[in-house]
């Protein structure tokens, strides 16, 4: 066992500093975002069915659980990675898109279970997540095309067209540069891609079921259209609180019919509230724990 002097000043840890700063930012973002929540409106529409809450919890954790499966297959990490991936989700949702990936890369570098360079795997998983999301967006838009007349797009049709062009363009760029872009093996890439596809199908289906719990008499065409719009908005980079944005866009395109705008506002508020509660809890845990020197962001 190597002996180390105990009277020397400990070196400055950038990982520890970044973790503390992110924890404080999450708390600040949570407090700031509270102004967007009307608790009375959310509570008034909330179902009491246990099935609703079980589906909601599953939908919220679908991203971290699917990525935990991926990174366990790639790196053999333990259950602590699930907590790290939940933090990644919170940072992306409350602070800035893809900030979570940067933080998770820092966490992976500090994790003693990971013996390979983590950058390539984190990058490939993020790129394939975007590609699978783009593909499912185009599939859902094609499925929803027959019902497009149900929406009042008005002047927003050009925005939808440009958004679709962005989705197609980014996918084409990735396909053209795929040989020099990816670091994982073909079998690993296939595994990651299909896990992402399964996660998107699951989360989209869960969203539809949650909507149907609240408004069971709404025609299925509306759910297809809204699911396609939700996926389209989720493809926009660097946009936090995408569910709040989605609720606003849906309110403009659907209008007051069938209380859909109220439903989506309720769901957006519920998701934001969950992000705030989980994010604040994790941030306070980090601050109270003091973030140890050996594993500052675990």
């Amino acid at each position: 066992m190597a002996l180390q002097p105990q009277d020397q000043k400990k070196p400055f840890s950038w990982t520890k500093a970044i973790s503390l700063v992110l924890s404080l930012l999450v708390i600040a973002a949570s407090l700031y975002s509270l102004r967007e929540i009307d608790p009375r409106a959310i509570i008034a529409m909330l179902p009491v069915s246990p099935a609703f809450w079980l589906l909601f919890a599953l939908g919220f954790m679908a991203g971290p659980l699917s990525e935990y499966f991926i990174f366990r297959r790639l790196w053999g990490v333990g259950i602590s990675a699930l907590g790290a991936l939940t933090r990644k989700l919170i940072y992306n949702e409350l602070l800035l898109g893809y900030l979570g990936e940067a933080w998770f890369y820092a966490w992976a570098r500090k994790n003693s279970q990971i013996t390979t360079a983590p950058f390539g795997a984190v990058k490939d998983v993020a790129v394939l997540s975007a590609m699978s999301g783009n593909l499912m967006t185009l599939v859902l838009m094609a499925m929803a095309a027959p019902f497009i007349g149900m929406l009042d797009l008005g002047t927003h049709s050009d925005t939808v067209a440009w958004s679709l062009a962005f989705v197609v363009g980014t996918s084409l760029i990735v396909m053209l540069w795929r040989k020099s872009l990816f670091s994982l093996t073909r079998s690993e890439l296939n595994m990651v891609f299909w896990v992402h596809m399964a996660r998107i199908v699951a989360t989209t289906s869960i969203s539809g079921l949650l909507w149907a719990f609240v408004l069971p008499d709404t025609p299925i065409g509306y759910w297809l259209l809204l699911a396609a719009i939700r996926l389209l908005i989720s493809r926009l980079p660097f946009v936090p609180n995408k569910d709040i944005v989605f609720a606003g866009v849906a309110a403009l395109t659907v209008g007051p019919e069938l209380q859909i705008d109220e439903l989506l506002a309720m769901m957006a508020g519920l998701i934001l509230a969950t992000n705030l509660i989980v994010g604040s809890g994790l941030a306070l845990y980090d601050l109270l724990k003091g973030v140890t020197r050996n594993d500052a962001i675990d």
Side-chain angles (χ1 to χ4, degrees), residues 144 147-157 160 211 215 218-230 233 245-265:
F147 307 99
I148 199 70
M150 300 170 67
L151 297 181
D152 181 20
L153 293 177
T155 58
H156 302 289
S157 56
V160 173
W211 298 338
L215 297 177
T218 303
I220 192 172
Y222 276 109
W223 298 144
L224 279 173
L225 287 167
L226 292 173
I229 293 174
R230 188 174 187 270
I233 292 174
V245 177
F246 167 59
V249 172
L252 290 173
T253 55
V254 175
E257 293 86 357
L258 304 174
Q259 293 185 299
I260 288 179
D261 54 342
E262 297 178 11
L263 161 66
L264 297 181

Side-chain angles (χ1 to χ4, degrees), residues 4-285:
Q4 297 182 356
Q6 299 297 311
D7 58 347
Q8 292 185 0
K9 185 178 179 180
K10 294 180 180 180
F12 179 76
S13 172
W14 281 106
T15 305
K16 178 178 179 179
I18 291 172
S19 179
L20 288 172
V21 169
L22 287 176
S23 297
L24 292 172
L25 283 175
V26 167
I27 294 174
S30 299
L31 294 174
Y32 180 77
S33 298
L34 284 173
R35 64 187 180 85
E36 301 181 29
I37 296 180
D38 182 0
R40 291 172 298 179
I42 295 176
I43 294 172
M45 292 190 70
L46 286 178
V48 295
S49 169
F52 175 89
W53 293 106
L54 180 62
L55 281 173
F56 179 81
L58 184 58
F60 181 80
M61 288 299 297
L65 286 170
S66 63
E67 292 192 336
Y68 172 68
F69 176 84
I70 289 172
F71 287 109
R72 183 166 179 80
R73 290 282 300 273
L74 294 177
W75 296 337
V77 291
I79 195 64
S80 63
L82 182 59
L85 290 164
T86 303
R87 295 167 190 263
K88 180 173 82 73
L89 169 69
I90 297 299
Y91 292 154
N92 282 340
E93 291 296 319
L94 287 183
L95 299 179
L96 188 67
Y98 294 114
L99 178 61
E101 274 71 20
W103 180 88
F104 183 68
Y105 168 66
W107 175 88
R109 287 193 61 186
K110 296 288 291 185
N111 194 300
S112 59
Q113 290 181 300
I114 302 171
T115 57
T116 59
F119 177 77
V122 174
K123 172 206 23 110
D124 288 2
V125 171
V127 171
L128 285 173
S129 176
M131 284 187 64
S132 57
N134 290 350
L135 178 59
M136 284 302 299
T137 299
L138 296 176
V139 170
L140 263 181
M141 290 298 291
M143 293 174 62
F147 307 99
I148 199 70
M150 300 170 67
L151 297 181
D152 181 20
L153 293 177
T155 58
H156 302 289
S157 56
D158 290 341
T159 303
V160 173
W162 280 109
S163 300
L164 284 173
F166 172 81
V167 167
V168 175
T170 52
S171 297
L172 288 176
I173 291 172
V174 172
M175 290 302 296
L176 289 173
W177 293 93
R178 63 186 183 278
K179 291 185 178 180
S180 58
L181 182 63
F182 293 120
S183 305
L184 298 176
T185 65
R186 180 180 291 274
S187 61
E188 291 172 332
L189 291 174
N190 286 334
M191 181 271 296
V192 172
F193 176 78
W194 287 112
V195 170
H196 279 315
M197 291 291 286
R199 184 252 309 164
I200 295 170
V201 171
T203 53
T204 303
S205 302
I206 288 173
S207 294
L209 289 172
L210 292 174
W211 298 338
F213 261 107
V214 183
L215 297 177
D217 297 327
T218 303
I220 192 172
Y222 276 109
W223 298 144
L224 279 173
L225 287 167
L226 292 173
I229 293 174
R230 188 174 187 270
L231 266 180
L232 194 60
I233 292 174
S234 72
R235 306 321 314 143
L236 301 178
F238 310 117
V239 178
N241 293 330
K242 290 184 175 67
D243 288 284
I244 296 292
V245 177
F246 167 59
V249 172
L252 290 173
T253 55
V254 175
E257 293 86 357
L258 304 174
Q259 293 185 299
I260 288 179
D261 54 342
E262 297 178 11
L263 161 66
L264 297 181
M266 181 273 288
M267 290 299 302
L270 182 58
I271 292 170
L272 176 59
T274 305
N275 283 323
L276 298 182
I277 294 169
V278 176
S280 297
L282 291 173
L284 288 173
Y285 172 77

